[in-house]
Amino acid sequence: NMFKAANSYTASYTNVAGLQVSAPVTLNGFKVGQVRDIRYEYENPGHVRVEMSLDKELRVPQGSKAVIEADILGTAQVALHGVNTV
């Protein structure tokens, strides 16, 4: 939803494993955002930058990980790990 408030985060990967723009970003299986942009990092060869739009209320602490995973149908998504939900 383009009218919903969101924060933007970026992550760098060496392999995006079929990840697509608009793929879900999840936390404990719940969708908290989506992939906004995927671009090759020409200034850092071999890396791909992924921009994610996450729910404005979600606080992502330093040291959290955004891991690309495949769901049971084989569709790639980003799963957040290390985010405290309490």
Side-chain angles (χ1 to χ4, degrees), residues 11 13 15-25 34-38 48-52 66-70 74-79:
Y13 301 95
N15 182 354
V16 292
L19 189 67
Q20 301 284 326
V21 171
S22 79
V25 178
Q34 69 181 28
V35 174
R36 286 171 88 185
D37 192 31
I38 301 173
V48 178
R49 182 182 56 85
V50 175
E51 182 180 345
M52 296 165 275
V67 180
I68 298 174
E69 299 178 345
T75 305
Q77 64 182 12
V78 177

Side-chain angles (χ1 to χ4, degrees), residues 7 9 19 53 75 86:
N7 287 327
Y9 293 88
L19 189 67
S53 177
T75 305
V86 177

Side-chain angles (χ1 to χ4, degrees), residues 5-9 25 32-34 52-56 58 60 80:
N7 287 327
S8 182
Y9 293 88
V25 178
V32 293
Q34 69 181 28
M52 296 165 275
S53 177
L54 303 180
D55 188 337
K56 188 85 165 173
L58 181 66
V60 180
L80 298 177

